[in-house]
């Protein structure tokens, strides 16, 4: 291990990374100058005629960020495989989204799915939805940008912040000028780097560490193989219940109401193709997430006798994956460059997807709500959208300075999602599943959910930052560390913990209230449930909506049987939606 810090990228590694970045840049140039996007629908939805393959690959790429590739292996190394027990919920996700959510989006065929909130409630709810997602993006993207910067910093020696600014510039360029088609095809390219980098690293690791059976044995003896921890305690960090419920709801939110996901469903021409796209996404995600889980087992099999954080080789667990790749890369030229390119690709695809979707939708939603009578030319629209994308990208980039102070990157990512996703999911679910929900209920529920989740989450993060709330990992050792590196031994590290039982303990100061010790998996659960419950209670206590004036298309198909009979067979045409959408003072919009 004394040689790890000496490994730096040579021309082979640099060439691999550069080839990915240059190709992504060229795709952006192509769609900027050679295949220009002529209309808003072309720019944001690829003309609604994209194929299943690029859309599915783009959805996978935007869902699997560098957070997964770096965060999940580190999570497995520190806390065991319990989190991976929830991967099976991806199959259930395809059924729930395909049956309940996609039919609504396809019936309406909206340019921005936040328009749904105006059609179902009013324009203020629409603005509330886009505001919540803008906050989520600004909080989440700094983490996504920070991850590849850490990797490249370790193997190049360049400043984390210099790398972050450089790669973000390339990403913002092809996202801003190339539109959705550029984002989709760069995602396909970047997916290839991610997948082959991961597979190549796993094959080489199995060869070096004695095969799958030996890796399995070491993890079993170290207490890492944990799949069915049935502890019902909500304060336990990872259990089967916490992981499955939290995992399911997080991905349900990501794949059903996040703009980048809905945008891609609407980019294919039919509902059937969208459902097939979703199925392929679930299969690919299952494969990738299990590969990252096994890579975490590889990390433990390599470092179980000499923890690199405790030994002082690296400063934090977020550097563990690049440390290992640096070691393996010495003997396999190009491997480190390919793997780091994969991490970089995953992060770039997530950033580009989110910027592209939020930038265009933010323009569309604000214009339609506040300036409905203002009509811009296509050129002006593109200029405004590009300015919004650049502004959001820069704002997210500037926040990376606080990321490395907030715990493990996997837990941090789930925490950030929990702050906003639950309240936003509550808005759409209230609209689609509950005809009795009204505007006052939707607004009150979402705001109550946001502040309740934020209070719990930011309180917990405060105690984590001050050291009063800790999540020490399972047993690690420094018994076989080379003496040459022990001069950097960190005796205070939280990784030196002799716990060998089921689960992992939560160490909290007596001043930390129990609510702040709640498992991070339940943050999105609290947000969703509180938003729906408060929304329904307020709706029941206030004036009910005129359900007869609402189109059945605004509700998920299973709710149609509960609507007034005279409305069930009516299907207003797109012109009616356009009229309602553009009306300046719409409150109950679907009034035919």
């Amino acid at each position: 291990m004394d040689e790890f810090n000496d490994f730096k990228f040579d021309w082979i590694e640099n060439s691999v990374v550069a080839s990915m970045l240059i190709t992504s840049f060229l795709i952006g140039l192509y769609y900027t100058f050679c295949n220009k996007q002529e209309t808003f629908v072309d720019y944001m939805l690829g003309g609604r005629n994209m194929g299943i393959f690029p859309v599915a690959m783009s959805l996978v790429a935007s869902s699997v960020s560098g957070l997964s590739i770096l965060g999940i292996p580190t999570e497995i190394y520190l806390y065991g495989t319990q989190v991976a027990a929830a991967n099976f919920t991806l199959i259930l996700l395809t059924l729930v989204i395909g049956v309940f959510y996609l039919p609504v989006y396809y019936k309406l065929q909206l340019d921005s799915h936040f328009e749904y909130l105006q059609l179902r409630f009013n324009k203020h709810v629409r603005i509330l939805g886009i505001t919540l997602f803008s906050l989520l993006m600004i909080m989440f993207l700094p983490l996504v940008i920070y991850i590849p910067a850490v990797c490249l910093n370790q193997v190049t020696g360049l400043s984390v912040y210099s790398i972050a600014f450089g790669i973000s510039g390339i990403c913002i360029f092809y996202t801003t000028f190339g539109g959705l088609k550029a984002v989709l095809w760069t995602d396909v390219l970047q997916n290839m780097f991610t997948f082959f980098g991961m597979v190549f690293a796993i094959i080489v690791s199995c060869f070096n560490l004695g095969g799958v059976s030996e890796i399995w044995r070491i993890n079993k003896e170290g207490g890492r193989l944990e799949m069915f921890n049935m502890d019902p305690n909500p304060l336990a960090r990872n259990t089967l219940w916490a992981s499955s419920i939290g995992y399911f709801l997080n991905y349900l939110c990501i794949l059903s109401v996040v703009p980048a996901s809905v945008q891609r469903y609407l980019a294919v021409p039919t509902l059937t193709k969208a459902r097939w796209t979703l199925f392929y996404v679930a299969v690919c995600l299952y494969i990738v997430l299990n590969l990252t889980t096994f890579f975490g087992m590889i990390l433990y099999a390599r470092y179980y006798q000499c923890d690199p954080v405790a030994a002082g080789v690296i400063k934090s667990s977020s550097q563990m994956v690049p440390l290992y790749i640096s070691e393996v890369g010495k003997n396999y030229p190009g491997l480190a460059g390919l793997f780091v390119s994969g991490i970089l690709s995953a992060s770039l695809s997530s950033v580009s997807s989110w910027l592209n979707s939020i930038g265009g939708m933010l323009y569309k939603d604000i214009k339609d709500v506040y300036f409905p009578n203002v009509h811009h030319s296509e050129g002006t629209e593109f200029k405004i959208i590009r300015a919004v994308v650049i502004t959001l990208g820069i704002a997210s980039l500037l926040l990376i300075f606080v990321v490395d102070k907030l715990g493990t990157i996997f837990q941090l990512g789930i925490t950030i999602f929990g702050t906003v996703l639950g309240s936003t999911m509550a808005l759409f679910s209230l609209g689609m599943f509950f005809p009795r929900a009204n505007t006052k209920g939707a607004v009150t529920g979402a705001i109550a959910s946001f502040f309740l989740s934020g209070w719990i989450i930011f309180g917990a993060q405060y105690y984590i930052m001050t050291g009063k709330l800790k999540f020490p990992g399972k047993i690690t050792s420094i018994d076989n560390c080379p003496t040459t590196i022990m001069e950097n031994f960190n005796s205070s590290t939280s990784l030196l913990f002799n716990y060998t039982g089921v689960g992992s303990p939560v160490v909290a100061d007596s001043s930390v209230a129990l609510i702040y010790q709640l498992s991070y998996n339940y943050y999105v659960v609290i947000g969703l449930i509180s938003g729906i419950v408060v929304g329904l209670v307020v709706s029941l206590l206030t004036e009910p909506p005129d359900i007869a004036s609402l189109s059945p298309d605004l509700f998920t198909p299973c709710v149609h049987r509960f609507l007034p009979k005279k409305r069930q067979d009516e299907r207003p045409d797109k012109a009616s939606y356009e009229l309602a959408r553009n009306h300046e003072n719409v409150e109950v919009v679907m009034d035919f």
Side-chain angles (χ1 to χ4, degrees), residues 63-138:
S63 301
V64 180
S65 65
L67 170 66
S68 301
I69 299 176
L70 280 186
I72 292 179
T74 305
E75 177 77 11
I76 302 301
Y77 175 88
L78 295 175
Y79 303 106
T81 59
Q82 182 62 70
V83 68
N87 287 349
F88 74 91
T89 61
L90 288 169
I91 304 302
L92 180 60
L93 275 176
T94 62
L95 296 175
V96 173
I97 298 172
V99 171
F100 297 113
Y101 291 91
L102 286 187
V104 177
Y105 295 136
Y106 263 85
K107 282 290 184 181
L108 300 178
Q109 285 292 303
L110 304 174
D111 294 334
S112 165
H113 79 299
F114 289 109
E115 293 178 65
Y116 169 82
L117 297 177
Q118 180 172 351
L119 295 172
R120 175 62 177 85
F121 299 111
N122 68 13
K123 61 185 179 182
H124 304 298
V125 182
R126 178 178 179 179
I127 292 300
L128 176 60
I130 192 67
T131 300
L132 287 173
F133 260 106
S134 298
L135 289 173
L136 174 62
M137 191 200 72
I138 291 174

Side-chain angles (χ1 to χ4, degrees), residues 119-356:
L119 295 172
R120 175 62 177 85
F121 299 111
N122 68 13
K123 61 185 179 182
H124 304 298
V125 182
R126 178 178 179 179
I127 292 300
L128 176 60
I130 192 67
T131 300
L132 287 173
F133 260 106
S134 298
L135 289 173
L136 174 62
M137 191 200 72
I138 291 174
M139 290 189 295
F140 179 64
L141 291 192
L143 177 61
V144 178
I145 296 170
Y146 174 80
I147 288 169
V150 169
C151 286
L152 285 173
N153 162 260
Q154 192 147 338
V155 294
T156 63
L158 296 175
S159 164
V160 170
Y161 305 114
S162 298
I163 296 171
F165 275 82
I167 60 178
S168 296
I170 295 175
C171 181
I172 291 173
F173 168 78
Y174 72 74
T175 303
T176 302
F177 295 98
L180 180 65
K181 290 183 179 179
V183 172
L184 290 181
W185 287 111
T186 51
D187 284 351
V188 171
L189 166 75
Q190 292 162 359
N191 251 347
M192 299 302 176
F193 278 88
T194 302
F195 179 76
F196 287 111
M198 178 69 69
V199 170
F200 190 15
I202 287 176
I203 292 174
V204 168
S205 299
C206 288
F207 177 78
N208 290 343
L209 296 172
V212 175
S213 59
E214 180 65 10
I215 294 172
W216 190 273
R217 181 192 66 79
I218 293 173
N219 278 267
K220 183 177 181 180
E221 293 178 355
R224 262 55 183 184
L225 299 184
E226 183 179 300
M227 299 292 284
F228 299 103
N229 177 5
M230 310 299 286
D231 185 357
N233 182 7
L235 305 184
R237 188 176 181 277
N238 278 335
T239 66
L240 180 64
W241 310 114
S243 298
S244 298
I245 295 172
Y247 196 98
F248 174 79
L249 287 180
N250 270 291
Y251 266 102
L252 179 63
C253 296
I254 292 170
L255 293 175
S256 64
V257 298
V258 165
S261 299
V262 179
Q263 178 192 28
R264 279 150 181 73
Y265 300 138
L266 297 178
V268 298
T270 66
L271 176 60
T272 300
K273 289 188 175 182
R275 285 171 169 163
W276 275 111
T277 299
L278 185 61
F279 172 76
Y280 293 135
V281 168
V283 172
C284 292
L285 282 177
Y286 185 81
I287 293 172
V288 171
L289 293 175
N290 279 288
L291 286 175
T292 56
T293 297
F294 186 67
F295 195 77
M297 295 172 63
I298 288 173
L299 286 184
Y300 182 73
R302 172 62 186 90
Y303 297 123
Y304 74 104
Q305 292 183 319
C306 183
D307 183 86
V309 178
V313 176
I314 53 178
K315 294 180 180 180
S316 70
S317 59
S318 62
Q319 297 174 302
M320 190 167 291
V321 172
L323 172 71
Y324 177 73
I325 293 300
S326 297
E327 176 190 2
V328 177
K330 293 179 181 179
N331 300 319
Y332 298 89
L335 172 60
L338 181 61
F339 191 88
V340 171
S341 293
I343 295 174
L344 183 57
S345 296
S347 298
L348 286 176
S349 59
S350 297
V351 173
S352 62
S353 297
W354 283 57
L355 285 177
N356 175 260

Side-chain angles (χ1 to χ4, degrees), residues 489-562:
F489 169 62
N490 182 3
S491 60
S492 64
T493 179
S494 62
L495 297 182
L496 282 177
F497 199 80
N498 293 322
Y499 184 76
T500 57
V502 176
S504 54
V506 176
V507 179
D509 185 82
S510 58
S511 63
V512 181
L514 291 179
I515 190 65
Y516 299 125
Q517 301 177 39
L518 185 72
S519 171
Y520 67 96
N521 291 292
Y522 289 121
Y523 292 154
V524 69
V525 181
I526 290 177
L528 177 59
I529 293 178
S530 63
I532 290 178
V533 170
V534 172
L536 289 177
V537 170
V538 172
S539 296
L540 291 172
L541 295 176
T542 55
E543 184 179 356
D546 182 8
I547 300 177
S549 70
L550 298 175
S551 166
D553 291 349
L554 295 172
F555 301 95
T556 191
C558 67
V559 175
H560 289 179
R561 70 184 69 179
F562 303 107

